Amino acid sequence: MTTIDKRKTDHILLTEKAQFGASLADSRFYYEPLLGSHQTNTSLELNFLGKKMQNPLWISSMTGGTGQARHINRNLANAANEFGLGMGLGSCRPLLESDEYFNDFNLRPILGKDLPFFANLGIVQIDELLINGMVSKLIDVLGRLDVDGLIIHLNPMQELFQPEGDFLPRPSLEVIQDFLEIYKGKIIVKEVGQGMGPESLKLLMKMPISAIEFGALGGTNFSKLEMLRDKENVKTGFGPLSFVGHSALEMVGFVNSILENEKDILCREFIISGGVKDFLDGHFLLSQINANAVYGQARSFLTYANEDYEKLKYYCKQQIDGLKMANQFLRVRS
Ligand SMILES: Cc1cc2nc3c(=O)[nH]c(=O)nc-3n(C[C@H](O)[C@H](O)[C@H](O)COP(=O)(O)O)c2cc1C
C-alpha cells in the first residue's frame, strides 16, 4: 500500500472517532486560516531584565540540594541555553549552610553569560539573614553563582501547611523593604503557586524591584503538596486556606488596572506563571498583559527534565513552534 493509499484508508476508518463537539472550541481565539503559514523562522526575541532572550519562556524556580536535582538542573540549563530562555534557580538555602551542593546550582557555565539567570531564596531566610546581620553571606553566594540577581519567594501558606514549616514573624513587605536598603542588585519577587492579590501587587510594583513573577494559583499548589506530605495530619486543619489565591489571568487584570490607575510605578516587567499549561495559555496571557512579560512554567519543564535531555529538548521545540503557529493563525478575541 502506498503512503497515500494508507492515509486515505486511515481517514475512512477514523472518521467515526474523529467527531468533535463545537462546545469544546477554545473560545479565547479567532482562528484565521487565511492569514498564516507554517514558517517557524520568525523571531520571538525580546529584551527582558536587561538581557536578550530568544523566546518569551521562563524556567520557574524548582530544585537543588537533593539526589536528582543536579541532573534536572543541568537539563534545564541546557534547554535555557539552546532555546534562549530565562531561568530561576530553586531555593539556594543549602548554599548558605555549605558548598556541598554548589554544583547543583552552578549553572552559569551551561547557560552562558547572555541570558537572565537568577538565584532564589525564601522570605523567612531573608529575614533571618537580616536579623543575624548575615546578608553579606548571601551576596557572596550570588557572586559565586554569577547570577543576574535574586528571586525572593513569598510562601506564607506553604510554610503554614508544611509540617516542619518556618514561622513568619513579620509581614514580608517589611522584610523586603529592609532588604532593599542593603542589597542593591536586581530583585524579582514571586509567590509559589497561590498568586497575589491587588494590594500586594500594587505595593510591589511601587518598589525598586526588577520584576514580579506571579506563581499564580491553578497549577502546582504547595499548600496541597505540603498537606500530602503531612502524614501525621499536623497541619491539615488549615485546609480551607489552600483554596485561596489568584489565577494568572486574574493577576494580569490586577496588573493592567494598577498600571492604568497608579502613579509612581517602578516595576514594569512580569513573569506570568502558575498553572500555565502550554504555549497556548502562554500566548493568550502574554497578549492580555499591558507590560513587558514572559511566561513561566515549573511543573511542565520538570516532567521532561527529570527524564533525559532529548525529551526536554523535544518538548521545548514543540512549545516554541506551537507559539509561532499561534502567532500565525490565531487572533485573540477582545
Ligand atoms: C518541584 C518544585 C520545586 C519548587 N521549588 C521552588 C523554590 O525552591 N522556590 C520557588 O520560588 N518556587 C519553587 N517552586 C514553585 C514554582 O517556581 C512555581 O511558582 C509553581 O510550581 C507554579 O508553577 P507551575 O504551575 O508551572 O508548576 C517549585 C515548584 C516545583 C514543582
Side-chain angles (χ1 to χ4, degrees):
M1 201 187 280
T2 66
T3 310
I4 295 181
D5 283 346
K6 168 91 173 66
R7 186 162 67 235
K8 296 293 172 194
T9 309
D10 281 350
H11 289 173
I12 291 164
L13 288 175
L14 294 173
T15 296
E16 205 53 48
K17 284 191 181 156
Q19 300 307 301
F20 192 94
S23 62
L24 297 178
D26 191 331
S27 59
R28 296 174 294 181
F29 306 100
Y30 291 117
Y31 165 54
E32 302 293 356
L34 187 68
L35 305 182
S37 77
H38 287 156
Q39 292 292 352
T40 52
N41 55 5
T42 49
S43 169
L44 296 176
E45 193 178 278
L46 80 161
N47 290 317
F48 193 68
L49 290 165
K51 293 206 163 168
K52 195 165 274 179
M53 291 167 59
Q54 299 309 310
N55 289 290
L57 264 89
W58 185 268
I59 300 172
S60 290
S61 298
M62 278 183 275
T63 191
T66 180
Q68 324 91 295
R70 193 165 305 178
H71 168 72
I72 292 171
N73 278 351
R74 282 172 178 267
N75 280 342
L76 292 171
N78 272 311
N81 169 275
E82 183 159 357
F83 296 98
L85 318 181
M87 180 171 176
L89 284 168
S91 170
C92 301
R93 188 178 183 176
L95 300 185
L96 297 173
E97 313 290 327
S98 83
D99 268 355
E100 186 184 349
Y101 293 106
F102 187 77
N103 284 332
D104 287 14
F105 298 93
N106 186 26
L107 305 176
R108 180 62 96 187
I110 302 177
L111 227 86
K113 277 271 181 201
D114 300 335
L115 293 164
F117 174 51
F118 278 69
N120 181 301
L121 201 62
I123 193 75
V124 176
Q125 285 73 53
I126 299 279
D127 203 19
E128 282 168 5
L129 290 172
L130 284 166
I131 289 165
N132 298 320
M134 303 282 274
V135 173
S136 57
K137 197 170 177 181
L138 171 63
I139 294 174
D140 172 63
V141 168
L142 301 182
R144 287 191 293 127
L145 289 172
D146 194 15
V147 287
D148 294 297
L150 177 70
I151 300 172
I152 301 176
H153 67 260
L154 312 177
N155 60 341
M157 288 300 146
Q158 179 186 11
E159 299 289 8
L160 200 61
F161 279 96
Q162 196 173 90
E164 68 282 24
D166 289 317
F167 181 73
L168 185 65
R170 59 179 178 144
S172 300
L173 176 64
E174 287 176 24
V175 180
I176 296 173
Q177 280 166 341
D178 286 354
F179 188 66
L180 284 169
E181 295 289 321
I182 300 179
Y183 180 69
K184 299 299 171 195
K186 289 185 178 171
I187 292 180
I188 300 174
V189 178
K190 78 185 280 285
E191 231 286 336
V192 300
Q194 289 193 255
M196 303 177 209
E199 228 174 300
S200 298
L201 276 173
K202 186 163 77 180
L203 287 162
L204 283 175
M205 287 167 69
K206 292 189 174 196
M207 286 184 177
I209 60 173
S210 298
I212 296 169
E213 178 173 354
F214 287 4
L217 189 80
T220 310
N221 180 327
F222 269 89
S223 302
K224 188 169 174 184
L225 197 149
E226 297 296 353
M227 271 197 282
L228 294 169
R229 290 184 60 241
D230 186 6
K231 301 284 184 255
E232 309 286 319
N233 288 331
V234 187
K235 302 283 193 81
T236 42
F238 290 123
L241 284 172
S242 67
F243 290 90
V244 303
H246 303 278
S247 72
L249 185 58
E250 194 183 15
M251 288 183 71
V252 166
F254 295 153
V255 165
N256 286 345
S257 153
I258 293 165
L259 288 171
E260 201 175 309
N261 298 309
E262 294 292 326
K263 295 194 179 68
D264 310 322
I265 298 295
L266 298 177
C267 171
R268 292 178 177 274
E269 295 202 311
F270 300 88
I271 301 167
I272 304 173
S273 68
V276 180
K277 285 190 304 299
D278 52 36
F279 65 87
L280 209 48
D281 280 355
H283 176 71
F284 177 68
L285 290 161
L286 288 177
S287 77
Q288 299 298 298
I289 196 162
N290 300 325
N292 197 32
V294 298
Y295 72 89
Q297 295 179 303
R299 180 252 179 148
S300 305
F301 284 120
L302 180 64
T303 308
Y304 300 94
N306 211 357
E307 298 185 33
D308 60 281
Y309 182 66
E310 285 309 308
K311 287 196 178 137
L312 179 64
K313 181 176 164 176
Y314 184 70
Y315 170 75
C316 292
K317 169 104 177 71
Q318 285 219 314
Q319 292 299 304
I320 289 162
D321 285 350
L323 204 51
K324 290 179 176 174
M325 290 303 102
N327 277 325
Q328 293 274 357
F329 293 107
L330 305 184
R331 298 294 178 264
V332 178
R333 289 179 196 241
S334 53

